[in-house]
Amino acid sequence: MNGRFSKMHGLGNDFVVIDAREAPLPMSAGRAQAIADRHAGIGCDQLILIEPSDAADVRMRIFNADGSEVEACGNATRCIPLFLGQDVLIETKAGLLNARLAEGGAVVDMGQPHFEWDRIPLAYAMDTLTMPVGWEHLDAPSAVNIGNPHVVFFGGAIEMDEAARLGAMIETDPIFPERVNVNFAQILSPSHIRLIVWERGAGLTRACGTGACATAVAAIRRGLAKGPVTVSLPGGDLMIDWTPGGSILMTGPATHVFDGEADWERF
Ligand SMILES: N[C@H](CCC[C@H](N)C(=O)O)C(=O)O
């Protein structure tokens, strides 16, 4: 069954985007993992499936490189208006998102963050603004749900190999029953944060949109920053604006690289 796909990215966080509205494409963890494989497949951090929706213009399904289907992907959400050539209301597992075309990318209303321990989720009740937990030299992080789960550590600069070692350990800690995206944030000023993200199901990526949202929200809640905040990731900058009680506005680039064709029966 031959089908077309688009290779896209948001600051180097890369995607295979498949429009399955006319021709449904049955998706499994195994097929998603095979498509995402950078040696035996097409290669991406996340596979994005566009399907029909009764509640919005389209439905977006998100699969990590490890095949896990998840609720939200900020960088991919910015790619959908470019992919469709129009502003778009998108149904996701985390709710409806408004994505508008902007110069070089998109502006996305990422909805409201959640902070209750059982909305992150965590394995048991605790303060999520300053969690009473630690791993090696990292302690007292914040936890935020942006549709997907994030833990945010504030500290100094961290090397990528250290972020990978600690990220892999923390991602699968039993305190996070659905695993977690691990954010290593360095506050440069009240309006500028440097961020490295170990992503659940994908590992270190060049950027993480929901990670940038979670980190800016946690920094604002802790009085370390004030919106709008520039979040500098290895792949580039995102602009995140949020005030307590409101929804998160994320602005940043989206890039279409090439289109291709594949026989999906081979995956
Ligand atoms: N790894 C994430 C999904 C992709 C998020 C990221 N690529 C973004 O831009 O938000 C998770 O398992 O929740």
Side-chain angles (χ1 to χ4, degrees), residues 198-227:
W198 171 271
E199 285 200 30
R200 175 181 62 171
L204 283 182
T205 59
R206 293 192 50 70
C208 178
T210 50
C213 293
T215 298
V217 164
I220 292 166
R221 291 187 80 212
R222 288 169 76 140
L224 303 171
K226 186 175 175 308

Side-chain angles (χ1 to χ4, degrees), residues 13 15 45-46 62 64 68 70-76 110 148-150 181 199-202 205 207-211:
N13 177 205
F15 314 109
D45 291 329
Q46 279 87 29
I62 304 151
N64 283 317
S68 55
V70 292
E71 313 87 342
C73 180
N75 286 324
M110 291 295 290
N148 58 351
H150 289 267
N181 297 284
E199 285 200 30
R200 175 181 62 171
T205 59
C208 178
T210 50

Side-chain angles (χ1 to χ4, degrees), residues 225-242:
K226 186 175 175 308
V229 180
T230 298
V231 180
S232 292
L233 298 124
D237 293 353
L238 290 176
M239 181 68 74
I240 311 295
D241 203 0
W242 178 72

